[in-house]
Amino acid sequence: MNTMRIRRSPDAVLFSSIKHTTMLFLAIVTLAPVLYLIYFSLIHPDDYFAYGLTFPLKRVSLENYQALLRSGSRIYAGYAASIYVTVVGTSLSTVLTAMLAYPLSKRYLPYRTSITFLIFFTMLFNGGLIPTYLLVRGLGLIDTIWALVLPNLIGAWNLFLFRNFYYTIPDSLEESARIDGAQDLQILFKIVLPISKAALFTIGLFYAVHYWNKWFDVIIYVNDNSRLETLQVVLREIIYASQNLSEAERLGIINTQEAQQMPEEVVKTAAIVISTIPIMTVYPFVQKHFIQGALLGSIKG
Amino acid sequence: MGLVFYVIFKYLPMFGVIVAFKDYKPWVGVLRSEWVGFYHFRVFFGSIYLWRLIRNTLVISFGKLLFGFPVPILFAVLLVEVRNKLYRRSVQTVTYFPHFLSWVVVGGFFISFLSPSTGPINAILRALGFQPIPFMMSPRWFVPVVVATSVWKEFGWQSIVYLAAISNIDPQLYEAARIDGANKFQEVGRITIPHIVPIAVILLVLRIGHILSEDFQQILMLLQGNPLLYEVGDVIETYVYRVGILGEGGSVPRYSYAAAVGLFKNFTGLLLVLAVNRFAKVLGQEALW
Protein backbone atom coordinates (compact mmCIF):
# COMPACT_ATOMS: atom_id res chain seq x y z
CA MET A 1 0.00 0.00 0.00
CA ASN A 2 1.22 3.47 -0.81
CA THR A 3 2.11 5.77 1.98
CA MET A 4 -0.85 7.99 2.45
CA ARG A 5 -0.29 11.65 2.23
CA ILE A 6 -3.28 13.65 3.26
CA ARG A 7 -3.21 16.84 1.37
CA ARG A 8 -5.79 19.26 0.19
CA SER A 9 -5.33 18.49 -3.41
CA PRO A 10 -6.12 21.08 -6.01
CA ASP A 11 -8.90 19.02 -7.42
CA ALA A 12 -10.66 18.91 -4.09
CA VAL A 13 -10.52 22.65 -3.92
CA LEU A 14 -11.83 22.94 -7.43
CA PHE A 15 -14.62 20.54 -6.71
CA SER A 16 -15.51 22.37 -3.58
CA SER A 17 -15.79 25.67 -5.33
CA ILE A 18 -17.93 24.19 -8.08
CA LYS A 19 -20.10 22.64 -5.48
CA HIS A 20 -20.64 25.81 -3.54
CA THR A 21 -21.17 27.99 -6.54
CA THR A 22 -23.76 25.69 -7.97
CA MET A 23 -25.56 25.26 -4.69
CA LEU A 24 -25.72 28.93 -4.05
CA PHE A 25 -26.75 29.61 -7.57
CA LEU A 26 -29.60 27.15 -7.43
CA ALA A 27 -30.75 28.33 -4.06
CA ILE A 28 -30.72 31.94 -5.14
CA VAL A 29 -32.47 31.19 -8.38
CA THR A 30 -35.15 29.39 -6.49
CA LEU A 31 -35.59 32.18 -4.03
CA ALA A 32 -35.30 35.09 -6.40
CA PRO A 33 -38.84 35.31 -7.68
CA VAL A 34 -40.20 34.88 -4.19
CA LEU A 35 -38.01 37.53 -2.67
CA TYR A 36 -38.66 39.87 -5.51
CA LEU A 37 -42.36 39.47 -5.08
CA ILE A 38 -42.28 40.17 -1.40
CA TYR A 39 -40.10 43.15 -1.98
CA PHE A 40 -42.34 44.50 -4.66
CA SER A 41 -45.48 44.02 -2.66
CA LEU A 42 -44.17 46.31 0.03
CA ILE A 43 -43.86 49.37 -2.10
CA HIS A 44 -46.25 52.15 -1.43
CA PRO A 45 -48.50 52.81 -4.43
CA ASP A 46 -47.75 56.50 -4.48
CA ASP A 47 -44.08 55.80 -4.56
CA TYR A 48 -44.62 53.43 -7.39
CA PHE A 49 -46.44 56.01 -9.42
CA ALA A 50 -43.82 58.59 -8.70
CA TYR A 51 -40.64 56.62 -8.93
CA GLY A 52 -41.36 53.18 -10.23
CA LEU A 53 -39.68 50.31 -8.52
CA THR A 54 -36.66 51.64 -6.76
CA PHE A 55 -33.90 49.96 -4.96
CA PRO A 56 -33.94 50.47 -2.04
CA LEU A 57 -37.58 51.22 -1.38
CA LYS A 58 -38.35 54.71 -0.32
CA ARG A 59 -40.52 53.35 2.38
CA VAL A 60 -41.96 50.03 3.33
CA SER A 61 -45.69 50.02 3.26
CA LEU A 62 -48.45 47.57 3.83
CA GLU A 63 -50.83 49.65 1.84
CA ASN A 64 -51.37 47.03 -0.82
CA TYR A 65 -52.19 44.39 1.69
CA GLN A 66 -54.63 46.64 3.39
CA ALA A 67 -56.41 47.29 0.15
CA LEU A 68 -56.76 43.62 -0.56
CA LEU A 69 -57.80 42.76 2.92
CA ARG A 70 -60.50 45.31 3.31
CA SER A 71 -63.70 43.80 4.45
CA GLY A 72 -65.80 42.27 1.78
CA SER A 73 -62.78 41.55 -0.31
CA ARG A 74 -62.96 38.37 -2.25
CA ILE A 75 -59.77 37.22 -0.67
CA TYR A 76 -61.69 36.21 2.40
CA ALA A 77 -64.25 34.31 0.41
CA GLY A 78 -61.44 32.64 -1.42
CA TYR A 79 -59.77 31.58 1.79
CA ALA A 80 -63.01 30.29 3.18
CA ALA A 81 -63.71 28.27 0.09
CA SER A 82 -60.24 26.84 -0.03
CA ILE A 83 -60.31 25.85 3.59
CA TYR A 84 -63.69 24.24 3.16
CA VAL A 85 -62.62 22.24 0.15
CA THR A 86 -59.31 21.30 1.65
CA VAL A 87 -60.72 20.09 4.93
CA VAL A 88 -63.51 18.06 3.41
CA GLY A 89 -61.38 16.70 0.65
CA THR A 90 -58.40 15.83 2.71
CA SER A 91 -60.30 14.03 5.42
CA LEU A 92 -62.33 11.97 3.02
CA SER A 93 -59.44 11.19 0.77
CA THR A 94 -57.10 10.18 3.52
CA VAL A 95 -59.52 7.93 5.31
CA LEU A 96 -60.71 6.23 2.19
CA THR A 97 -57.24 5.75 0.87
CA ALA A 98 -56.26 4.14 4.13
CA MET A 99 -59.28 1.91 3.97
CA LEU A 100 -58.76 0.82 0.44
CA ALA A 101 -55.08 0.21 0.85
CA TYR A 102 -55.55 -2.08 3.77
CA PRO A 103 -57.27 -5.02 2.10
CA LEU A 104 -54.96 -4.65 -0.83
CA SER A 105 -52.06 -5.30 1.43
CA LYS A 106 -53.39 -8.66 2.49
CA ARG A 107 -52.15 -11.45 0.39
CA TYR A 108 -55.20 -13.61 0.88
CA LEU A 109 -57.61 -11.16 -0.63
CA PRO A 110 -59.36 -12.69 -3.59
CA TYR A 111 -58.78 -10.95 -6.92
CA ARG A 112 -56.16 -8.88 -5.28
CA THR A 113 -53.91 -8.81 -8.29
CA SER A 114 -56.65 -7.81 -10.65
CA ILE A 115 -57.88 -5.03 -8.44
CA THR A 116 -54.41 -3.74 -7.95
CA PHE A 117 -53.80 -3.83 -11.63
CA LEU A 118 -56.99 -1.96 -12.39
CA ILE A 119 -56.02 0.79 -10.05
CA PHE A 120 -52.53 0.88 -11.38
CA PHE A 121 -53.90 1.14 -14.86
CA THR A 122 -55.51 4.44 -14.05
CA MET A 123 -52.08 5.82 -13.62
CA LEU A 124 -51.34 5.09 -17.21
CA PHE A 125 -54.52 5.96 -18.90
CA ASN A 126 -57.70 7.77 -18.19
CA GLY A 127 -60.73 8.73 -20.22
CA GLY A 128 -59.68 12.30 -20.66
CA LEU A 129 -60.91 15.73 -19.84
CA ILE A 130 -64.14 15.73 -21.77
CA PRO A 131 -65.50 12.39 -20.65
CA THR A 132 -64.74 13.25 -17.07
CA TYR A 133 -66.48 16.54 -17.42
CA LEU A 134 -69.50 14.94 -18.99
CA LEU A 135 -69.64 12.37 -16.28
CA VAL A 136 -69.54 14.94 -13.55
CA ARG A 137 -72.16 16.96 -15.28
CA GLY A 138 -74.32 13.94 -15.93
CA LEU A 139 -74.22 13.05 -12.29
CA GLY A 140 -75.51 16.47 -11.41
CA LEU A 141 -72.45 17.46 -9.49
CA ILE A 142 -71.86 20.81 -11.08
CA ASP A 143 -71.61 23.59 -8.56
CA THR A 144 -71.30 21.16 -5.71
CA ILE A 145 -68.26 20.39 -3.69
CA TRP A 146 -68.40 16.81 -4.92
CA ALA A 147 -67.30 17.84 -8.35
CA LEU A 148 -64.11 18.97 -6.76
CA VAL A 149 -63.66 16.10 -4.39
CA LEU A 150 -64.92 12.97 -6.07
CA PRO A 151 -63.07 12.73 -9.37
CA ASN A 152 -59.72 12.27 -7.72
CA LEU A 153 -60.85 11.11 -4.36
CA ILE A 154 -58.37 8.31 -4.09
CA GLY A 155 -55.14 8.94 -5.84
CA ALA A 156 -53.50 5.79 -7.10
CA TRP A 157 -50.09 6.98 -6.12
CA ASN A 158 -51.09 7.67 -2.54
CA LEU A 159 -52.89 4.42 -2.42
CA PHE A 160 -49.77 2.49 -3.22
CA LEU A 161 -47.79 4.47 -0.73
CA PHE A 162 -50.24 3.50 1.94
CA ARG A 163 -50.27 -0.08 0.89
CA ASN A 164 -46.52 -0.24 1.11
CA PHE A 165 -46.78 1.16 4.54
CA TYR A 166 -49.14 -1.58 5.56
CA TYR A 167 -46.65 -4.13 4.35
CA THR A 168 -44.36 -3.01 7.08
CA ILE A 169 -46.82 -3.87 9.80
CA PRO A 170 -46.04 -7.29 11.16
CA ASP A 171 -48.66 -9.96 10.63
CA SER A 172 -48.26 -11.15 14.17
CA LEU A 173 -50.00 -8.06 15.37
CA GLU A 174 -53.08 -8.85 13.43
CA GLU A 175 -52.97 -12.52 14.23
CA SER A 176 -52.89 -12.01 17.92
CA ALA A 177 -55.82 -9.68 17.64
CA ARG A 178 -57.75 -12.31 15.75
CA ILE A 179 -56.97 -14.87 18.33
CA ASP A 180 -58.51 -12.52 20.79
CA GLY A 181 -61.62 -12.65 18.67
CA ALA A 182 -61.49 -9.32 16.87
CA GLN A 183 -63.28 -8.81 13.58
CA ASP A 184 -61.67 -7.26 10.56
CA LEU A 185 -63.13 -3.81 10.88
CA GLN A 186 -62.21 -3.74 14.52
CA ILE A 187 -58.70 -4.67 13.68
CA LEU A 188 -58.54 -1.94 11.15
CA PHE A 189 -59.76 0.79 13.38
CA LYS A 190 -58.46 -0.19 16.72
CA ILE A 191 -55.07 -1.49 15.86
CA VAL A 192 -53.88 -0.67 12.41
CA LEU A 193 -54.98 2.91 12.15
CA PRO A 194 -53.45 4.12 15.38
CA ILE A 195 -50.15 2.69 14.27
CA SER A 196 -50.47 4.39 10.93
CA LYS A 197 -50.49 7.87 12.30
CA ALA A 198 -47.33 8.82 10.50
CA ALA A 199 -48.55 7.52 7.19
CA LEU A 200 -51.93 9.11 7.67
CA PHE A 201 -50.32 12.38 8.39
CA THR A 202 -48.03 12.27 5.42
CA ILE A 203 -50.64 11.20 2.93
CA GLY A 204 -52.99 13.68 4.47
CA LEU A 205 -50.48 16.39 3.77
CA PHE A 206 -50.13 15.35 0.18
CA TYR A 207 -53.86 15.49 -0.29
CA ALA A 208 -54.09 18.77 1.54
CA VAL A 209 -51.67 20.39 -0.82
CA HIS A 210 -53.56 18.94 -3.75
CA TYR A 211 -56.87 20.35 -2.61
CA TRP A 212 -55.45 23.64 -1.55
CA ASN A 213 -54.03 24.21 -4.99
CA LYS A 214 -57.18 23.36 -6.88
CA TRP A 215 -58.24 25.89 -9.44
CA PHE A 216 -58.86 24.28 -12.76
CA ASP A 217 -61.56 21.99 -11.47
CA VAL A 218 -63.28 24.95 -9.97
CA ILE A 219 -63.19 26.78 -13.23
CA ILE A 220 -64.84 24.06 -15.19
CA TYR A 221 -67.24 22.66 -12.64
CA VAL A 222 -68.34 25.68 -10.72
CA ASN A 223 -70.34 28.25 -12.56
CA ASP A 224 -72.55 29.82 -10.08
CA ASN A 225 -71.48 29.01 -6.61
CA SER A 226 -69.30 31.62 -5.06
CA ARG A 227 -68.88 29.54 -1.95
CA LEU A 228 -66.65 27.25 -3.88
CA GLU A 229 -64.37 29.68 -5.55
CA THR A 230 -61.11 28.80 -4.03
CA LEU A 231 -58.32 31.16 -3.25
CA GLN A 232 -56.33 30.05 -6.25
CA VAL A 233 -59.19 30.93 -8.53
CA VAL A 234 -59.58 34.35 -7.01
CA LEU A 235 -55.86 34.84 -7.28
CA ARG A 236 -55.87 33.89 -10.88
CA GLU A 237 -58.52 36.43 -11.64
CA ILE A 238 -56.50 39.03 -9.87
CA ILE A 239 -53.45 38.19 -11.89
CA TYR A 240 -55.26 38.35 -15.16
CA ALA A 241 -57.43 41.24 -14.20
CA SER A 242 -54.62 43.34 -12.99
CA GLN A 243 -53.52 43.55 -16.53
CA ASN A 244 -56.58 45.63 -16.74
CA LEU A 245 -57.46 47.54 -13.67
CA SER A 246 -61.03 48.34 -14.47
CA GLU A 247 -61.62 44.66 -14.78
CA ALA A 248 -60.46 44.25 -11.23
CA GLU A 249 -62.83 46.92 -10.18
CA ARG A 250 -65.68 45.26 -11.91
CA LEU A 251 -64.95 41.97 -10.25
CA GLY A 252 -65.24 43.63 -6.91
CA ILE A 253 -61.73 42.87 -5.90
CA ILE A 254 -60.91 46.40 -5.02
CA ASN A 255 -63.25 49.29 -4.81
CA THR A 256 -63.26 52.29 -7.05
CA GLN A 257 -61.43 54.61 -4.79
CA GLU A 258 -58.53 52.33 -4.54
CA ALA A 259 -58.63 51.57 -8.19
CA GLN A 260 -57.56 55.06 -8.93
CA GLN A 261 -54.62 54.80 -6.67
CA MET A 262 -53.58 51.26 -7.13
CA PRO A 263 -51.03 50.35 -9.68
CA GLU A 264 -51.95 46.93 -11.01
CA GLU A 265 -48.63 45.26 -10.70
CA VAL A 266 -48.30 45.98 -7.05
CA VAL A 267 -51.73 44.77 -6.14
CA LYS A 268 -51.07 41.60 -7.98
CA THR A 269 -47.89 40.85 -6.15
CA ALA A 270 -49.46 41.48 -2.81
CA ALA A 271 -52.26 39.10 -3.70
CA ILE A 272 -49.82 36.41 -4.64
CA VAL A 273 -47.96 36.81 -1.40
CA ILE A 274 -51.18 36.60 0.56
CA SER A 275 -52.08 33.37 -1.16
CA THR A 276 -48.73 31.86 -0.59
CA ILE A 277 -48.33 32.76 3.04
CA PRO A 278 -50.19 29.73 4.41
CA ILE A 279 -47.99 27.34 2.56
CA MET A 280 -44.86 29.27 3.27
CA THR A 281 -45.46 29.23 6.97
CA VAL A 282 -46.64 25.67 7.27
CA TYR A 283 -44.13 24.18 4.94
CA PRO A 284 -40.87 24.23 6.86
CA PHE A 285 -42.47 22.31 9.67
CA VAL A 286 -44.00 19.59 7.61
CA GLN A 287 -41.24 19.25 5.11
CA LYS A 288 -39.76 16.30 6.86
CA HIS A 289 -42.94 14.31 6.41
CA PHE A 290 -43.22 15.08 2.77
CA ILE A 291 -39.75 13.84 2.16
CA GLN A 292 -40.36 10.63 4.04
CA GLY A 293 -43.44 10.06 2.02
CA ALA A 294 -41.70 10.73 -1.22
CA LEU A 295 -38.88 8.41 -0.34
CA LEU A 296 -41.32 5.66 0.53
CA GLY A 297 -42.93 6.08 -2.79
CA SER A 298 -39.91 6.33 -4.93
CA ILE A 299 -38.07 3.29 -3.72
CA LYS A 300 -39.97 1.34 -6.32
CA GLY A 301 -43.56 2.22 -5.39
CA MET B 1 -66.03 -17.69 9.60
CA GLY B 2 -63.88 -17.31 6.57
CA LEU B 3 -66.90 -16.15 4.58
CA VAL B 4 -67.70 -13.35 6.96
CA PHE B 5 -64.25 -12.13 6.68
CA TYR B 6 -64.24 -12.29 2.90
CA VAL B 7 -67.43 -10.31 2.83
CA ILE B 8 -65.98 -7.60 4.94
CA PHE B 9 -62.89 -7.46 2.90
CA LYS B 10 -65.04 -7.02 -0.12
CA TYR B 11 -66.85 -4.09 1.32
CA LEU B 12 -63.86 -1.99 1.96
CA PRO B 13 -62.29 -2.34 -1.42
CA MET B 14 -65.57 -2.06 -3.25
CA PHE B 15 -66.33 1.17 -1.58
CA GLY B 16 -62.96 2.51 -2.43
CA VAL B 17 -62.80 1.15 -5.89
CA ILE B 18 -66.01 2.77 -6.98
CA VAL B 19 -64.51 6.06 -6.18
CA ALA B 20 -61.08 5.25 -7.47
CA PHE B 21 -62.82 4.47 -10.67
CA LYS B 22 -63.47 8.09 -11.02
CA ASP B 23 -60.00 8.20 -12.26
CA TYR B 24 -60.88 6.54 -15.44
CA LYS B 25 -64.06 7.36 -17.14
CA PRO B 26 -65.85 5.61 -19.94
CA TRP B 27 -65.49 7.60 -23.05
CA VAL B 28 -69.04 8.72 -22.88
CA GLY B 29 -68.61 11.55 -25.26
CA VAL B 30 -67.52 9.46 -28.14
CA LEU B 31 -70.10 6.77 -27.71
CA ARG B 32 -73.20 8.80 -27.15
CA SER B 33 -76.11 9.22 -29.52
CA GLU B 34 -75.08 8.12 -32.93
CA TRP B 35 -72.15 5.95 -33.34
CA VAL B 36 -70.02 7.85 -35.71
CA GLY B 37 -67.13 5.53 -35.58
CA PHE B 38 -63.85 7.13 -36.30
CA TYR B 39 -65.35 10.18 -37.87
CA HIS B 40 -64.03 12.59 -35.30
CA PHE B 41 -60.63 11.07 -35.40
CA ARG B 42 -60.52 11.53 -39.11
CA VAL B 43 -61.56 15.12 -38.75
CA PHE B 44 -58.85 15.69 -36.26
CA PHE B 45 -56.21 14.06 -38.38
CA GLY B 46 -57.21 16.22 -41.25
CA SER B 47 -57.28 19.39 -39.27
CA ILE B 48 -54.70 22.06 -39.62
CA TYR B 49 -54.19 22.00 -35.92
CA LEU B 50 -52.94 18.46 -35.73
CA TRP B 51 -49.40 19.15 -36.61
CA ARG B 52 -49.20 22.27 -34.52
CA LEU B 53 -50.54 20.65 -31.40
CA ILE B 54 -48.40 17.57 -31.62
CA ARG B 55 -45.36 19.60 -32.43
CA ASN B 56 -45.88 21.97 -29.52
CA THR B 57 -46.44 19.13 -27.12
CA LEU B 58 -43.32 17.35 -28.25
CA VAL B 59 -41.16 20.44 -28.30
CA ILE B 60 -42.14 21.42 -24.80
CA SER B 61 -41.82 17.91 -23.44
CA PHE B 62 -38.51 17.44 -25.09
CA GLY B 63 -37.23 20.74 -23.77
CA LYS B 64 -38.27 19.79 -20.29
CA LEU B 65 -36.56 16.47 -20.67
CA LEU B 66 -33.37 17.94 -21.98
CA PHE B 67 -33.00 20.58 -19.32
CA GLY B 68 -35.15 19.21 -16.59
CA PHE B 69 -33.68 15.79 -16.41
CA PRO B 70 -30.02 16.49 -15.65
CA VAL B 71 -30.60 19.27 -13.15
CA PRO B 72 -32.02 17.20 -10.30
CA ILE B 73 -29.24 14.68 -10.75
CA LEU B 74 -26.57 17.32 -10.69
CA PHE B 75 -28.18 18.93 -7.73
CA ALA B 76 -28.39 15.71 -5.77
CA VAL B 77 -24.83 14.75 -6.51
CA LEU B 78 -23.54 18.08 -5.30
CA LEU B 79 -25.87 18.33 -2.39
CA VAL B 80 -24.62 15.21 -0.70
CA GLU B 81 -21.19 16.68 -0.69
CA VAL B 82 -22.23 19.60 1.40
CA ARG B 83 -20.84 18.96 4.82
CA ASN B 84 -22.57 21.61 6.81
CA LYS B 85 -25.90 20.18 7.92
CA LEU B 86 -27.61 23.47 8.42
CA TYR B 87 -26.56 24.73 5.05
CA ARG B 88 -27.72 21.59 3.39
CA ARG B 89 -31.05 21.54 5.14
CA SER B 90 -31.77 25.10 4.26
CA VAL B 91 -30.92 24.59 0.63
CA GLN B 92 -33.21 21.60 0.61
CA THR B 93 -36.02 23.50 2.21
CA VAL B 94 -35.70 26.31 -0.24
CA THR B 95 -35.54 24.18 -3.33
CA TYR B 96 -38.26 21.73 -2.41
CA PHE B 97 -40.69 24.46 -1.70
CA PRO B 98 -41.81 25.48 -5.21
CA HIS B 99 -43.09 22.00 -5.86
CA PHE B 100 -45.98 22.62 -3.51
CA LEU B 101 -47.21 25.76 -5.10
CA SER B 102 -49.95 25.79 -7.64
CA TRP B 103 -49.29 27.04 -11.11
CA VAL B 104 -51.52 29.96 -10.37
CA VAL B 105 -49.00 31.12 -7.85
CA VAL B 106 -45.91 30.16 -9.80
CA GLY B 107 -47.34 31.59 -12.96
CA GLY B 108 -48.07 34.77 -11.08
CA PHE B 109 -44.52 34.85 -9.76
CA PHE B 110 -43.03 34.70 -13.17
CA ILE B 111 -45.47 36.95 -14.89
CA SER B 112 -44.36 39.58 -12.46
CA PHE B 113 -40.73 38.65 -12.38
CA LEU B 114 -40.39 38.64 -16.12
CA SER B 115 -42.49 41.67 -16.72
CA PRO B 116 -41.03 44.05 -19.27
CA SER B 117 -41.89 47.08 -17.22
CA THR B 118 -41.33 46.08 -13.66
CA GLY B 119 -39.44 42.87 -13.64
CA PRO B 120 -35.87 42.74 -12.40
CA ILE B 121 -34.64 40.66 -15.30
CA ASN B 122 -35.68 43.30 -17.71
CA ALA B 123 -34.44 46.01 -15.41
CA ILE B 124 -31.02 44.46 -15.64
CA LEU B 125 -31.33 44.19 -19.38
CA ARG B 126 -32.26 47.79 -19.64
CA ALA B 127 -29.40 48.83 -17.43
CA LEU B 128 -27.09 47.00 -19.77
CA GLY B 129 -28.53 48.85 -22.68
CA PHE B 130 -30.72 46.15 -24.16
CA GLN B 131 -34.34 46.31 -25.05
CA PRO B 132 -36.67 44.81 -22.49
CA ILE B 133 -38.00 41.44 -23.54
CA PRO B 134 -41.68 40.69 -23.08
CA PHE B 135 -41.07 37.14 -21.99
CA MET B 136 -44.58 36.23 -21.17
CA MET B 137 -46.10 37.60 -24.30
CA SER B 138 -43.72 36.66 -27.00
CA PRO B 139 -44.08 33.43 -28.94
CA ARG B 140 -40.33 33.26 -29.28
CA TRP B 141 -39.83 33.01 -25.57
CA PHE B 142 -42.81 30.97 -24.57
CA VAL B 143 -41.22 27.57 -24.79
CA PRO B 144 -38.06 28.55 -22.90
CA VAL B 145 -40.20 30.13 -20.24
CA VAL B 146 -42.31 27.03 -19.90
CA VAL B 147 -39.26 24.82 -19.67
CA ALA B 148 -37.40 27.08 -17.29
CA THR B 149 -40.29 27.59 -14.91
CA SER B 150 -41.00 23.90 -14.90
CA VAL B 151 -37.42 23.12 -13.98
CA TRP B 152 -37.45 25.82 -11.36
CA LYS B 153 -40.48 24.35 -9.76
CA GLU B 154 -39.57 20.72 -9.79
CA PHE B 155 -35.84 20.21 -9.70
CA GLY B 156 -35.62 20.20 -5.94
CA TRP B 157 -38.37 17.70 -5.48
CA GLN B 158 -37.12 15.46 -8.21
CA SER B 159 -33.73 15.32 -6.65
CA ILE B 160 -35.13 13.48 -3.67
CA VAL B 161 -35.11 10.19 -5.46
CA TYR B 162 -31.50 10.59 -6.41
CA LEU B 163 -30.57 11.67 -2.93
CA ALA B 164 -32.07 8.50 -1.58
CA ALA B 165 -30.14 6.45 -4.05
CA ILE B 166 -26.88 8.16 -3.29
CA SER B 167 -27.28 7.82 0.42
CA ASN B 168 -27.52 4.09 -0.09
CA ILE B 169 -24.05 3.88 -1.44
CA ASP B 170 -21.66 2.18 0.87
CA PRO B 171 -19.23 4.78 2.24
CA GLN B 172 -16.48 2.22 2.24
CA LEU B 173 -16.42 2.41 -1.50
CA TYR B 174 -15.42 6.00 -1.23
CA GLU B 175 -12.80 5.33 1.34
CA ALA B 176 -11.30 2.59 -0.72
CA ALA B 177 -11.19 4.88 -3.70
CA ARG B 178 -9.56 7.65 -1.76
CA ILE B 179 -6.92 5.31 -0.46
CA ASP B 180 -6.19 4.32 -3.98
CA GLY B 181 -5.58 7.95 -4.71
CA ALA B 182 -8.73 8.93 -6.51
CA ASN B 183 -9.44 12.61 -6.62
CA LYS B 184 -12.80 14.15 -6.00
CA PHE B 185 -13.93 14.14 -9.58
CA GLN B 186 -13.08 10.54 -9.99
CA GLU B 187 -14.90 9.69 -6.83
CA VAL B 188 -18.01 11.26 -8.12
CA GLY B 189 -17.69 10.01 -11.60
CA ARG B 190 -16.72 6.45 -10.87
CA ILE B 191 -18.76 5.73 -7.80
CA THR B 192 -21.67 8.06 -7.33
CA ILE B 193 -22.83 8.29 -10.89
CA PRO B 194 -22.85 4.61 -11.74
CA HIS B 195 -24.98 3.97 -8.72
CA ILE B 196 -27.53 6.43 -9.86
CA VAL B 197 -27.69 5.23 -13.41
CA PRO B 198 -30.27 2.47 -12.91
CA ILE B 199 -32.75 4.76 -11.26
CA ALA B 200 -32.05 7.55 -13.68
CA VAL B 201 -32.71 5.26 -16.58
CA ILE B 202 -36.02 4.11 -15.18
CA LEU B 203 -37.09 7.65 -14.61
CA LEU B 204 -35.92 8.71 -18.01
CA VAL B 205 -37.83 5.89 -19.58
CA LEU B 206 -40.95 6.84 -17.71
CA ARG B 207 -40.63 10.42 -18.78
CA ILE B 208 -40.20 9.53 -22.38
CA GLY B 209 -43.28 7.41 -22.13
CA HIS B 210 -45.13 10.47 -20.96
CA ILE B 211 -43.84 12.72 -23.63
CA LEU B 212 -47.26 13.39 -24.99
CA SER B 213 -48.70 14.55 -21.73
CA GLU B 214 -47.71 17.98 -20.72
CA ASP B 215 -48.39 19.77 -17.51
CA PHE B 216 -51.71 21.10 -18.49
CA GLN B 217 -52.22 23.51 -15.65
CA GLN B 218 -48.88 25.08 -16.19
CA ILE B 219 -49.46 25.72 -19.85
CA LEU B 220 -52.97 26.96 -19.35
CA MET B 221 -51.80 29.41 -16.77
CA LEU B 222 -48.82 30.66 -18.71
CA LEU B 223 -50.79 31.03 -21.88
CA GLN B 224 -52.86 33.64 -20.12
CA GLY B 225 -55.51 33.21 -22.73
CA ASN B 226 -53.35 35.02 -25.20
CA PRO B 227 -54.14 33.75 -28.70
CA LEU B 228 -50.84 34.97 -30.02
CA LEU B 229 -49.16 32.29 -28.01
CA TYR B 230 -51.21 29.44 -29.32
CA GLU B 231 -48.96 28.89 -32.26
CA VAL B 232 -46.24 27.64 -29.98
CA GLY B 233 -48.01 27.02 -26.74
CA ASP B 234 -51.21 25.28 -27.57
CA VAL B 235 -50.84 21.69 -26.65
CA ILE B 236 -53.32 18.92 -27.19
CA GLU B 237 -54.83 19.21 -23.78
CA THR B 238 -55.35 22.95 -23.92
CA TYR B 239 -56.93 22.56 -27.31
CA VAL B 240 -59.27 19.94 -25.94
CA TYR B 241 -60.17 22.29 -23.16
CA ARG B 242 -60.89 25.19 -25.46
CA VAL B 243 -62.86 23.28 -28.00
CA GLY B 244 -64.58 20.86 -25.72
CA ILE B 245 -65.46 22.98 -22.75
CA LEU B 246 -65.21 26.54 -23.84
CA GLY B 247 -66.68 25.72 -27.16
CA GLU B 248 -64.30 27.62 -29.30
CA GLY B 249 -64.88 27.49 -33.00
CA GLY B 250 -68.52 26.59 -32.72
CA SER B 251 -71.68 27.63 -31.01
CA VAL B 252 -71.66 24.84 -28.51
CA PRO B 253 -68.81 22.87 -27.10
CA ARG B 254 -67.88 20.11 -29.45
CA TYR B 255 -67.83 17.39 -26.89
CA SER B 256 -67.47 14.40 -29.07
CA TYR B 257 -64.77 15.88 -31.16
CA ALA B 258 -62.77 17.09 -28.22
CA ALA B 259 -63.24 13.80 -26.44
CA ALA B 260 -61.89 12.03 -29.47
CA VAL B 261 -58.84 14.24 -29.54
CA GLY B 262 -58.23 13.72 -25.85
CA LEU B 263 -58.68 10.02 -26.21
CA PHE B 264 -56.25 9.92 -29.06
CA LYS B 265 -53.64 11.54 -26.89
CA ASN B 266 -54.24 9.33 -23.90
CA PHE B 267 -54.32 6.20 -25.93
CA THR B 268 -51.20 7.01 -27.83
CA GLY B 269 -49.57 7.89 -24.56
CA LEU B 270 -50.50 4.51 -23.18
CA LEU B 271 -49.02 2.73 -26.16
CA LEU B 272 -45.93 4.80 -25.78
CA VAL B 273 -45.49 3.95 -22.14
CA LEU B 274 -46.00 0.28 -22.82
CA ALA B 275 -43.53 0.33 -25.67
CA VAL B 276 -40.97 2.24 -23.72
CA ASN B 277 -41.39 -0.11 -20.82
CA ARG B 278 -40.72 -3.11 -22.97
CA PHE B 279 -37.74 -1.34 -24.39
CA ALA B 280 -36.37 -0.77 -20.93
CA LYS B 281 -36.70 -4.46 -20.20
CA VAL B 282 -34.76 -5.24 -23.33
CA LEU B 283 -32.03 -3.00 -22.09
CA GLY B 284 -31.83 -5.17 -19.06
CA GLN B 285 -33.01 -2.51 -16.72
CA GLU B 286 -35.80 -2.93 -14.32
CA ALA B 287 -39.00 -1.51 -15.66
CA LEU B 288 -42.42 -0.60 -14.37
CA TRP B 289 -43.65 -4.09 -13.71
Side-chain angles (χ1 to χ4, degrees), chain B residues 191-207:
Chain B
I191 301 182
T192 315
I193 306 248
H195 274 90
I196 305 187
V197 165
I199 298 210
V201 169
I202 296 182
L203 292 178
L204 182 63
V205 155
L206 283 181
R207 283 184 78 158

Side-chain angles (χ1 to χ4, degrees), chain B residues 80-237:
Chain B
V80 287
E81 301 289 339
V82 174
R83 300 290 161 213
N84 186 333
K85 265 207 172 140
L86 182 62
Y87 181 29
R88 192 173 58 208
R89 287 297 226 112
S90 4
V91 170
Q92 280 181 302
T93 307
V94 165
T95 53
Y96 293 168
F97 175 64
H99 167 81
F100 296 100
L101 302 172
S102 76
W103 273 108
V104 174
V105 170
V106 177
F109 273 162
F110 282 100
I111 291 177
S112 227
F113 196 63
L114 298 176
S115 155
S117 45
T118 59
I121 306 274
N122 277 309
I124 296 178
L125 283 178
R126 258 178 282 140
L128 290 177
F130 294 109
Q131 288 282 23
I133 302 178
F135 289 103
M136 300 301 295
M137 288 183 279
S138 139
R140 275 191 62 209
W141 286 98
F142 187 73
V143 172
V145 165
V146 168
V147 171
T149 54
S150 174
V151 174
W152 178 85
K153 187 171 186 280
E154 299 293 343
F155 84 89
W157 186 251
Q158 287 174 344
S159 72
I160 290 185
V161 176
Y162 299 116
L163 275 180
I166 296 180
S167 57
N168 277 336
I169 302 179
D170 188 348
Q172 289 183 349
L173 282 176
Y174 288 110
E175 277 172 38
R178 232 166 303 175
I179 291 177
D180 285 344
N183 65 35
K184 206 57 180 161
F185 289 104
Q186 285 174 325
E187 261 181 52
V188 168
R190 295 273 174 89
I191 301 182
T192 315
I193 306 248
H195 274 90
I196 305 187
V197 165
I199 298 210
V201 169
I202 296 182
L203 292 178
L204 182 63
V205 155
L206 283 181
R207 283 184 78 158
I208 292 182
H210 284 107
I211 206 164
L212 272 190
S213 44
E214 63 308 296
D215 189 348
F216 170 58
Q217 299 207 356
Q218 173 196 20
I219 309 242
L220 192 65
M221 194 65 205
L222 290 179
L223 272 182
Q224 303 164 80
N226 180 351
L228 287 177
L229 294 175
Y230 290 168
E231 185 59 34
V232 279
D234 203 13
V235 289
I236 299 183
E237 205 61 26

